[in-house]
Amino acid sequence: MSVQTTYTDKGKKPEQGRFVSFDHLTFWVSNAKQAASYYVSRFGFEPVAYAGLETGSRQTASYVVRLNKITFVLQAQYDPVETSFNKEVAIHGDFVKDIAFEVENLDYIVEYAKKQGAVVVKDIWEAKDEFGSVRMAVLKTYGDNTHTLVDRSKYKGAFLPGYQSLQTDPISKHLPKVEINFIDHVVANQPDNQMEPVGSWYERCLQFHRFWSVDDSQIFTEYSSLRSLVMANWEENVKLPINEPAEGKKKSQIQEYVEYHGGPGVQHIAINTEDIITTIKNLRERGVEFLTIPSVYYKIIREKLQHSKVRVAESIDELERLHILIDYDDNGYLLQIFTKNTQDRPTLFLEVIQRRNHNGFGAGNFKTLFESIELEQAKRGNL
Ligand SMILES: O=C(O)C(=O)Cc1ccc(O)cc1
Ligand SMILES: [Fe+2]
């Protein structure tokens, strides 16, 4: 029985509307000022825009930081009152609340989603300032998460109307540059048996299709397992893998996530670079921590690559020193590495990925990667 499926049928092209790309990710946190500083100092993002009391935003402070096409918004609530914001941050800890997509033909996309039963959190509205206008709507997805749909075709400002631009951070010039270009995929973890209904929601409401999946017919490690289904837009530049735990001898890392997050949520954000070696050297110099890969992995991969058609341009010695993983087929390869969790809870982390004619998600690395995650899980007393 095969473990991986690559789907060849994209289904029918949506009649209208287009998901252009990831627009931005909004994190709900308890202290946006400090959270933004983490992405600037550690990951090389630059401050872009701010909204808060000084700009007339009475409820929330928002810091927008950007690294090429990757935009994160760190948002916190001011008032010490029980709102969904404060409740959700108390339950989940700092978390990714919203995945925003840039779209064309917002009206069609929202109308279609509504007809298919999508829950509209906020119907279409327009925001304006001296740089133009933006139209947006918010749909509910899994758990407490939402998708904001953004039509910014009539807007020229730095981020969104109402935001004030920010100066570059003086620390940046002292630190090694980070060249990471765009969001490659955003992964969500689900509780038991929720992968399939969540995947179908993207098919039914957003007209996404199944891109790739992996089942649990092979237990990846001695201990734990998972199933994963990747949903994609028509153009396949927006990819959303969805994981759920599978039975194993011990607690699945997905189950650990769900318990600490308190339900479904975003597990990792993969960001794409053209030069992973320089990028990881520089991120390590900036103090970003990554998972450790045992040297036996590289011994085996050196051996296997000798019998493969693919030529990896990067030095395997260098990849080994940096703990970067390699997955490949006859036509290409990918290089990927995973950070340790970016907060106290074992919930969110980041992945840096470089692709050379390879569209997979590193299934060849799952065993090694999951063992390395389990090593950390064991240290936490959660395996
Ligand atoms: O599927 C992906 O996007 C991966 O990058 C691999 C992966 C899958 C499950 C995890 O818990 C951690 C990493
Ligand atoms: Fe990933």
Side-chain angles (χ1 to χ4, degrees):
M1 186 160 137
S2 123
V3 204
Q4 292 178 60
T5 311
T6 301
Y7 298 85
T8 47
D9 183 10
K10 299 207 293 176
K12 180 162 129 294
K13 184 170 198 257
E15 274 168 29
Q16 294 182 48
R18 185 161 80 96
F19 286 80
V20 178
S21 60
F22 287 103
D23 193 275
H24 62 276
L25 299 187
T26 302
F27 295 63
W28 277 9
V29 301
S30 67
N31 185 341
K33 184 173 187 166
Q34 289 189 9
S37 175
Y38 174 83
Y39 286 100
V40 169
S41 60
R42 296 298 176 195
F43 285 91
F45 284 68
E46 279 294 347
V48 167
Y50 167 77
L53 291 172
E54 302 83 350
T55 71
S57 170
R58 303 298 306 171
Q59 310 302 327
T60 51
S62 304
Y63 288 81
V64 183
V65 299
R66 183 173 288 151
L67 181 53
N68 295 310
K69 290 182 183 155
I70 309 161
T71 305
F72 289 173
V73 181
L74 292 308
Q75 200 165 66
Q77 181 181 306
Y78 287 117
D79 293 331
V81 292
E82 261 196 43
T83 57
S84 62
F85 193 115
N86 278 345
K87 278 191 226 162
E88 289 175 29
V89 172
I91 297 281
H92 303 307
D94 293 3
F95 76 113
V96 175
K97 169 69 181 179
D98 182 275
I99 301 171
F101 304 117
E102 185 186 345
V103 302
E104 283 171 4
N105 202 341
L106 176 70
D107 297 273
Y108 172 85
I109 291 174
V110 171
E111 200 50 43
Y112 188 96
K114 270 190 205 171
K115 272 197 202 129
Q116 297 295 318
V119 174
V120 178
V121 176
K122 189 171 178 194
D123 213 333
I124 300 179
W125 82 98
E126 186 174 55
K128 282 185 186 175
D129 66 8
E130 72 260 44
F131 302 107
S133 67
V134 178
R135 297 177 73 240
M136 288 174 279
V138 183
L139 304 179
K140 178 182 165 14
T141 179
Y142 46 80
D144 287 330
N145 281 81
T146 54
H147 288 305
T148 298
L149 309 175
V150 185
D151 172 359
R152 52 169 68 258
S153 56
K154 295 197 173 72
Y155 194 67
K156 293 195 161 33
F159 179 57
L160 287 175
Y163 281 79
Q164 192 175 80
S165 1
L166 287 175
Q167 302 286 306
T168 59
D169 194 301
I171 202 172
S172 297
K173 62 176 179 294
H174 301 291
L175 297 175
K177 282 273 157 302
V178 180
E179 282 301 341
I180 305 183
N181 302 319
F182 59 88
I183 296 177
D184 190 280
H185 56 274
V186 178
V187 183
N189 283 346
Q190 305 298 326
D192 280 340
N193 304 317
Q194 291 305 301
M195 177 186 81
E196 190 51 45
V198 169
S200 324
W201 184 89
Y202 285 92
E203 273 176 337
R204 200 175 69 245
C205 297
L206 302 189
Q207 297 185 267
F208 279 31
H209 60 272
R210 285 157 200 255
F211 181 77
W212 186 84
S213 72
V214 57
D215 67 24
D216 60 339
S217 58
Q218 174 194 323
I219 303 279
F220 290 108
T221 74
E222 193 190 342
Y223 294 140
S224 85
S225 199
L226 57 78
R227 287 177 284 268
S228 189
L229 167 64
V230 180
M231 303 306 295
N233 63 333
W234 179 259
E235 291 75 12
E236 302 187 332
N237 63 323
V238 172
K239 283 174 234 124
L240 302 173
I242 301 156
N243 299 331
E244 69 180 10
E247 276 309 306
K249 275 197 214 161
K250 296 198 182 176
K251 192 197 291 278
S252 168
Q253 52 171 302
I254 309 304
Q255 186 58 26
E256 188 198 32
Y257 174 100
V258 168
E259 288 174 13
Y260 278 89
H261 181 78
V266 173
Q267 176 215 38
H268 76 265
I269 304 162
I271 48 183
N272 192 298
T273 180
E274 281 293 305
D275 179 2
I276 200 167
I277 289 189
T278 310
T279 299
I280 300 309
K281 270 188 200 153
N282 291 354
L283 286 174
R284 284 186 182 280
E285 266 190 62
R286 301 173 74 113
V288 175
E289 297 175 305
F290 297 93
L291 294 179
T292 300
I293 305 303
S295 64
V296 60
Y297 169 86
Y298 297 93
K299 194 168 175 286
I300 295 167
I301 209 103
R302 274 190 195 89
E303 186 64 32
K304 286 207 272 185
L305 281 172
Q306 294 200 333
H307 308 290
S308 157
K309 283 191 192 146
V310 77
R311 286 287 156 268
V312 174
E314 291 74 11
S315 141
I316 308 291
D317 289 356
E318 193 104 68
L319 296 172
E320 177 172 1
R321 268 196 293 280
L322 294 166
H323 296 252
I324 296 168
L325 297 158
I326 307 143
D327 196 19
Y328 62 91
D329 58 21
D330 283 348
N331 304 312
Y333 63 96
L334 66 75
L335 303 172
Q336 62 183 169
I337 188 166
F338 296 85
T339 72
K340 293 193 177 176
N341 295 119
T342 48
Q343 61 291 305
D344 306 311
R345 299 191 198 197
T347 49
L348 183 71
F349 56 87
L350 269 65
E351 170 186 357
V352 181
I353 186 165
Q354 176 185 317
R355 294 183 183 278
R356 291 286 177 255
N357 198 36
H358 189 100
N359 288 322
F361 291 83
N365 292 324
F366 279 13
K367 182 173 165 28
T368 302
L369 170 64
F370 296 174
E371 280 169 356
S372 156
I373 293 175
E374 283 167 8
L375 213 62
E376 300 293 321
Q377 227 181 313
K379 285 187 207 163
R380 294 189 284 263
N382 291 330
L383 187 64

